[in-house]
Amino acid sequence: MTTADGTTSTTNTTGTTSTQGTTSPTSATGTPAPRMPARQVTALIVLLASQFMMAADFSVLNVALPEVGTALGFSTGALQWITTTFALCAAGCTLVLGRVGDHLGRRRVFTVGMAVLAVSSLVGGVAESATTLLVARTLQGLATAAVTPAALALLTTAFTEPSLRTRALGLNSVMMSSGFSVGAVLGGFLTDVFSWRWAFFINIPVALAAILVVPLVVDESRAERRARIDLPGAVLVTLGLFTGIYGVTRVGEEGFDLVAGVALLAAAVLLGAFWAVESRTADALVPVRVLRKPDLAFGNLAALFIFGGETALIFFTGLYVQDVLGLSSLVAGLVLLGIGLGQIIAGTVGPRLLQRVPPRTLLGLSLFLQGAFMLPVLWATADSRWLIPLIATQFVNAFFSMTAALSFMVIATSSVGSDLQGMATGMATQSQQTGIAIGIPLISAVFAGVVGSGTVTAAEELSGIRTAVGVAGGCQVAAGLLLWRALRSRTLS
């Protein structure tokens, strides 16, 4: 296969791409992968820590929302904007800022993004009004949109040996996925022991450490050809994603009304215009030839189900533990440790699985099993003894969500050359962020359809949770089967 940067490559049995003339000790000879030098290990630790913090920022305030609302005067209806504002910016701007990293330098964009994170976290931590807090969350979302694809592109360009790259991507997937569940645990702990403000302050030392260390251990990385930035494409895709995510969020909150319909229609028009512009632009933000790659298309579609379903499961687990069982927010966070543990274990063994199972096969199978292990919630009861089977099934669910995420990331980043790594990682990250942003609103719409409006009893809420999570699991099962069939039947490039 000829990659975008003109080099010739071959695809091994794991689906990763290696340059001809370079031999992977693991994939080619079965011998252990080469050891990482100390500088690479340090770079890996810092980049993974940043990815974990970016992911945790999405969920760290979820369990603290009531306290934040009381302290800063948010109305009950406005509380969701603390999460939605972050998600809109993180999902809407990721692809654009990933491409900016290709042009200006990924390390530079990473460092600037970390600086924005430190400043916005300080602003959020000292906020005394709802407006100030929402400004801080907006800046945190933009920082996430800059840092996440830049860090991932730095990983894929720093670890060029296939087995080391797969290992690094596996650990990255652990940090990204477990960050959502551990963020909820961390948020519950900080809120109960200290204050919700520490959910912001905890970012500052991590951001400062990254700013100081990354220039010392990570080489600058950028595209070899410095083309102009596709401004029309950037505006269209960003506005299209903003309006689309807003429309989906609106459906989850208010049902399908005129505002939601107009937003979704506008999103379809804007994204259609984006496709038309990209097909006629020499230096496109995302070349159409890349958009037409079936492996990238199917992989990024799978990410919507992987991350949307897992985020919704975390959200409804919190509701179940606190509202149905009447336990504390800290207990709700601790229950989610089962998800975090499953993801960590899967991230450790996932690269070994990918040496034996092609990522296309593992992706469909893992998504199917991720959904299958959400379905036991259909039999949940209001008895706290059900926590044990809940934790057990969520552990298995989390294991397969991680192997699915790792498979998707290998597919998404191994099909383009180094010049387009920022674009590829931007697309992959944007698919993750979009899935996270729309997962809760979509499944919440199902929940609201069951419980209706007004005062809801614990029994009614339990019925809504069963149905909502059951629908999410069923969609993942169906998507896993369809993806497995589609990926098997195509020769992907």
Side-chain angles (χ1 to χ4, degrees):
M1 179 176 71
T2 303
T3 60
D5 57 357
T7 60
T8 303
S9 62
T10 57
T11 303
N12 61 26
T13 57
T14 69
T16 56
T17 305
S18 57
T19 306
Q20 285 184 349
T22 301
T23 302
S24 166
T26 298
S27 58
T29 68
T31 58
R35 296 177 63 86
M36 296 182 191
R39 189 170 185 264
Q40 272 194 323
V41 171
T42 305
L44 183 63
I45 291 171
V46 175
L47 293 173
L48 293 181
S50 70
Q51 295 288 61
F52 178 86
M53 191 57 66
M54 295 296 107
D57 269 347
F58 181 87
S59 59
V60 72
L61 279 179
N62 280 359
V63 297
L65 290 181
E67 288 84 353
V68 176
T70 300
L72 300 184
F74 279 89
S75 67
T76 302
L79 273 178
Q80 57 89 20
W81 283 104
I82 297 174
T83 298
T84 301
T85 300
F86 178 94
L88 280 171
C89 294
C93 300
T94 296
L95 180 58
V96 173
L97 292 178
R99 202 70 174 110
V100 168
D102 285 340
H103 291 272
L104 301 183
R106 293 139 188 166
R107 191 181 70 183
R108 179 181 297 174
V109 170
F110 174 90
T111 305
V112 171
M114 274 296 180
V116 173
L117 176 67
V119 172
S120 60
S121 296
L122 178 61
V123 171
V126 301
E128 295 293 341
S129 69
T131 300
T132 302
L133 188 83
L134 291 178
V135 169
R137 289 297 275 172
T138 298
L139 291 174
Q140 281 188 325
L142 290 172
T144 299
V147 168
T148 305
L152 186 54
L154 289 172
L155 280 177
T156 59
T157 53
F159 296 90
T160 55
E161 200 281 325
S163 61
L164 288 182
R165 173 183 281 193
T166 300
R167 187 191 306 173
L169 289 175
L171 292 171
N172 181 77
S173 294
V174 170
M175 295 296 102
M176 288 294 294
S177 296
S178 63
F180 302 120
S181 54
V182 176
V185 179
L186 185 62
F189 173 79
L190 292 173
T191 302
D192 280 3
V193 177
F194 300 105
S195 162
W196 61 265
R197 295 182 184 276
W198 281 94
F200 286 95
F201 291 147
I202 197 171
N203 289 334
I204 298 174
V206 176
L208 293 178
I211 291 170
L212 293 173
V213 175
V214 163
L216 302 177
V217 298
V218 179
D219 295 328
E220 183 58 283
S221 167
R222 60 167 57 90
E224 294 180 7
R225 188 174 69 89
R226 301 291 296 275
R228 69 179 182 85
I229 295 178
D230 174 20
L231 185 60
V235 171
L236 287 170
V237 73
T238 302
L239 290 178
L241 288 166
F242 267 124
T243 54
I245 294 169
Y246 174 78
V248 170
T249 304
R250 176 82 181 188
V251 170
E253 295 168 356
E254 307 291 341
F256 190 86
D257 59 7
L258 179 61
V259 175
V262 170
L264 293 173
L265 178 61
V269 172
L270 287 166
L271 293 176
F274 169 71
W275 180 280
V277 167
E278 297 305 275
S279 64
R280 295 174 174 82
T281 302
D283 296 313
L285 183 69
V286 182
V288 170
R289 61 183 171 80
V290 174
L291 290 173
R292 287 176 175 160
K293 284 178 173 286
D295 49 354
L296 287 180
F298 283 120
N300 282 281
L301 177 63
L304 300 180
F305 289 91
I306 297 166
F307 290 92
E310 201 67 9
T311 305
L313 178 63
I314 291 170
F315 175 78
F316 283 105
T317 297
L319 286 185
Y320 172 74
V321 173
Q322 295 179 80
D323 294 351
V324 177
L325 300 184
L327 302 176
S328 70
S329 59
L330 182 56
V331 173
L334 292 174
V335 168
L336 293 172
L337 283 177
I339 292 179
L341 182 60
Q343 291 168 337
I344 290 170
I345 293 174
T348 303
V349 305
R352 299 176 187 173
L353 283 176
L354 284 168
Q355 293 171 15
R356 296 168 174 80
V357 182
R360 300 161 190 168
T361 301
L362 189 59
L363 176 59
L365 179 62
S366 295
L367 183 56
F368 171 84
L369 291 171
Q370 180 187 356
F373 279 91
M374 289 178 72
L375 297 179
V377 174
L378 290 169
W379 291 274
T381 69
D383 189 332
S384 60
R385 286 178 294 184
W386 209 84
L387 279 176
I388 295 175
L390 174 68
I391 293 171
T393 55
Q394 288 192 344
F395 170 84
V396 181
N397 164 277
F399 181 93
F400 287 112
S401 77
M402 175 54 62
T403 56
L406 176 56
S407 304
F408 142 70
M409 194 59 68
V410 169
I411 292 171
T413 59
S414 63
S415 301
V416 297
S418 59
D419 277 9
L420 294 177
Q421 278 300 305
M423 182 277 300
T425 56
M427 282 184 65
T429 306
Q430 187 152 311
S431 298
Q432 294 178 30
Q433 298 287 1
T434 301
I436 292 163
I438 67 177
I440 293 175
L442 283 176
I443 306 306
S444 292
V446 177
F447 175 81
V450 174
V451 303
S453 58
T455 304
V456 179
T457 67
E460 291 171 335
E461 188 161 356
L462 176 58
S463 177
I465 291 171
R466 286 172 175 168
T467 304
V469 176
V471 168
C475 289
Q476 286 185 315
V477 166
L481 288 173
L482 291 173
L483 280 168
W484 177 75
R485 183 178 180 84
L487 293 170
R488 282 183 72 244
S489 62
R490 291 174 180 266
T491 302
L492 303 179
S493 58

